[in-house]
Amino acid sequence: MFLAWLITVALMAIGFVLERNVDNRQLGYSAPELSTLSAKAAFFTGVKFSLVELMVLSTILRPWSFTARTRYRALIALLLFAPYTALLLLIGPGGKLSFMVHGIWLAVIVIMLFFASISPIQATVPPDQEKQTP
């Protein structure tokens, strides 16, 4: 999880560099510091939000102690993060690249939580017993 967060922050930093360069070209030389400030604000806001989400997720999941109740923790986290992710993905398009990367980060978390909560349930379902022929 932490490694995925580091990759997300690296992608946000790349988006910050790209946005800063694109904004400077669009605005010309009239206000390059303004575009740099807006790109910095988007970058640092995205990093702060993703760090808080990582802390909440690790508090709920407690990855250092896996037990039989882990699937319930994943389901609780899924119920918490799915509406939040849907809301941010609905209001996020058209924004800065940092916010788009943040939306992708949340979508990956929700997909991961979905499979983490479903796979133990599938493992407990007994397989169909076939007829044994003599």
Side-chain angles (χ1 to χ4, degrees), residues 33-134:
E33 62 278 349
L34 181 63
S35 64
T36 303
L37 286 176
S38 90
K40 280 183 186 177
F43 171 69
F44 286 119
T45 302
V47 170
K48 285 189 280 188
F49 276 124
S50 65
L51 186 60
V52 169
E53 292 155 359
L54 180 68
M55 290 188 321
V56 167
L57 188 62
S58 63
T59 302
I60 292 172
L61 288 180
R62 286 182 256 153
W64 53 87
S65 66
F66 287 109
T67 62
R69 297 185 329 186
T70 303
R71 72 170 174 229
Y72 299 118
R73 290 186 216 154
L75 189 60
I76 290 169
L78 178 66
L79 292 175
L80 179 69
F81 273 85
Y84 173 66
T85 302
L87 179 67
L88 285 179
L89 287 176
L90 285 174
I91 63 174
K96 299 280 185 183
L97 285 174
S98 300
F99 291 140
M100 289 184 211
V101 171
H102 182 251
I104 293 170
W105 154 256
L106 286 173
V108 167
I109 285 176
V110 167
I111 291 169
M112 177 194 70
L113 289 172
F114 176 74
F115 285 117
S117 60
I118 294 296
S119 61
I121 294 171
Q122 288 178 342
T124 59
V125 174
D128 292 337
Q129 302 225 349
E130 297 179 19
K131 288 185 184 178
Q132 293 184 359
T133 57

